[in-house]
Amino acid sequence: QVQLVESGGGLVRAGESLRLSCAASRSIFSFNAMAWYRQAPGKQRESVATITSGGSTNYLDSVKGRFTISRDNSKNTVYLQMNSLKPEDTAVYYCMSTTNARAYWGQGTQVTVSS
């Protein structure tokens, strides 16, 4: 069983930054990809950023140029650096990892951006 633990959420003002962390209970080399999703109240969960085992990244159009996904293999941790935050970035952010068999999800961390 894989556990993913997110941290780093909080309340910030528009224009400020946050860095989210997702610590995995086993080597992240074992995952095909890891990703950050978010879900705002009343909206569907959406993919924000993805990083594959080969290091390729992909971003939601609305966060391109502001968010950066990265990983530290030695710490089994994936990060989401979020700069120039906007009120519309307010959501619960979830970490997700995938293997050939299934996907795993963390419990989520709240990010609230005030205007």
Side-chain angles (χ1 to χ4, degrees):
Q1 185 71 5
V2 174
Q3 290 187 331
L4 302 174
V5 179
E6 302 101 332
S7 60
L11 171 63
V12 296
R13 296 180 179 178
E16 295 183 340
S17 299
L18 280 174
R19 189 178 79 157
L20 305 183
S21 299
C22 171
S25 59
R26 74 182 197 202
S27 172
I28 60 176
F29 280 120
S30 65
F31 303 129
N32 295 333
M34 295 191 73
W36 288 96
Y37 280 70
R38 68 186 182 188
Q39 187 167 20
K43 296 187 177 181
Q44 290 188 329
R45 191 173 296 190
E46 62 182 355
S47 175
V48 175
T50 302
I51 186 166
T52 69
S53 57
S56 298
T57 58
N58 193 41
Y59 295 94
L60 182 68
D61 282 348
S62 63
V63 308
K64 285 180 180 177
R66 299 189 298 121
F67 290 11
T68 302
I69 189 171
S70 63
R71 66 187 187 197
D72 185 335
N73 296 330
S74 67
K75 296 182 179 179
N76 294 327
T77 299
V78 172
Y79 303 98
L80 185 67
Q81 178 67 43
M82 305 186 294
N83 299 329
S84 302
L85 282 161
K86 303 176 181 180
E88 51 263 44
D89 295 318
T90 294
V92 178
Y93 284 71
Y94 298 90
C95 179
M96 188 270 284
S97 66
T98 58
T99 66
N100 290 334
R102 58 166 290 180
Y104 300 90
W105 293 88
Q107 82 287 351
T109 185
Q110 176 71 45
V111 172
T112 303
V113 184
S114 64
S115 58

